[in-house]
Amino acid sequence: MTEPVSIVPLDLHAHITTATPIGANVIAGTPLSGSLPAYENHERGVSVGQWACEPGAWTFTANEDEVCIILSGRGRLIWNDNKTVFEFGGGMSFVIPRGFKGTWETIEKIRKIYVVVE
């Protein structure tokens, strides 16, 4: 018998502790982050949850596709060429495609919903 499918609610008011350092590649500030995973399907390579981060900047390469739904805060993505900049804030949504190389900068504490597809 097949297991019933469950709907997974996201509590947009749940507290997210931002105490984990971003790690390597920090180029400005001391960005601390935290997450609330809500759903993972390893077989399909999908994960969904919420993430929050304090101000700061770091370089990264996207190893998977990620949908970002910004709930609050402000930030920008800066391509490695330093010429292309995408600024975003609360109420905006976008996709960071696998292979993006650049800088994530959190200007004002960000809270987002993420959907990652490996």
Side-chain angles (χ1 to χ4, degrees):
M1 181 173 204
T2 304
E3 291 288 322
V5 175
S6 297
I7 300 301
V8 180
L10 299 175
D11 181 355
L12 301 183
H13 302 289
H15 177 72
I16 300 175
T17 301
T18 52
T20 305
I22 288 296
N25 306 323
V26 171
I27 57 175
T30 310
L32 299 175
S33 69
S35 64
L36 289 174
Y39 173 82
E40 290 186 353
N41 184 317
H42 298 290
E43 188 176 291
R44 293 185 178 157
V46 175
S47 60
V48 179
Q50 295 180 68
W51 178 83
C53 186
E54 302 291 339
W58 60 95
T59 59
F60 76 104
T61 299
N63 296 318
E64 60 273 321
D65 296 318
E66 179 178 357
V67 175
C68 299
I69 303 167
I70 307 299
L71 301 173
S72 61
R74 285 187 325 116
R76 65 175 62 107
L77 289 166
I78 306 164
W79 278 248
N80 274 347
D81 66 7
N82 287 319
K83 296 177 184 174
T84 308
V85 177
F86 175 72
E87 296 200 8
F88 55 87
M92 294 180 69
S93 302
F94 53 91
V95 175
I96 302 173
R98 179 187 329 260
F100 169 86
K101 294 180 182 180
T103 300
W104 176 288
E105 181 181 5
T106 298
I107 300 166
E108 294 174 1
K109 183 177 179 178
I110 288 176
R111 183 176 182 126
K112 72 175 181 176
I113 294 172
Y114 64 84
V115 179
V116 173
V117 181
E118 296 178 6

